[in-house]
Amino acid sequence: MAVRYLTPEGMTHPTPYHHVAVGSGTRHVHVAGQIARLADGTPVAEGDLAGQVAQALRNTATGLAGAGARFDDVLRLTFYVTDWRPEKIGEFMAGVEQVGEEIGLALPLPPASLIGVDYLFEPGVLVEVEATAVVD
């Protein structure tokens, strides 16, 4: 495996993600921000944060697969969420859990950041996901 995850002693635990990823692959894969749209551009899960997280992660998995990568190869995930408030974490994690087995995304997640933003792409887009991976 090209990526090893860890949370060294002395770092906050438990968290829904690993704090550190060590990559040893030879190719870097960067998946641009993915939103909750089907391939033809049809919006998915309008007004539903969990549903949008799930679809954006599905799209991220498709991008990774196109480059010969999987979520096991991901060094880092970045989530941008509109109108973020800490009380939304349950709904956010429900979206991750809803799709995790389907796309091969295990918990805890790779190192991740969740960044609250005012606006994404266009009205109705609640979440965007970016991924960086390394493969042999």
Side-chain angles (χ1 to χ4, degrees), residues 74-96:
V74 170
L75 289 171
R76 177 162 194 71
L77 290 170
T78 304
F79 297 90
Y80 299 94
V81 181
T82 60
D83 191 34
W84 178 253
R85 293 182 312 279
E87 57 269 18
K88 289 184 173 184
I89 193 66
E91 187 179 359
F92 176 87
M93 289 307 297
V96 172

Side-chain angles (χ1 to χ4, degrees), residues 2-35:
V3 178
R4 182 172 60 97
Y5 301 121
L6 61 139
T7 295
E9 178 129 358
M11 298 187 91
T12 303
H13 191 73
T15 57
Y17 56 89
H18 292 281
H19 285 276
V20 178
V22 179
S24 60
T26 56
R27 292 186 303 123
H28 286 229
V29 177
H30 299 269
V31 179
Q34 298 299 301
I35 61 174

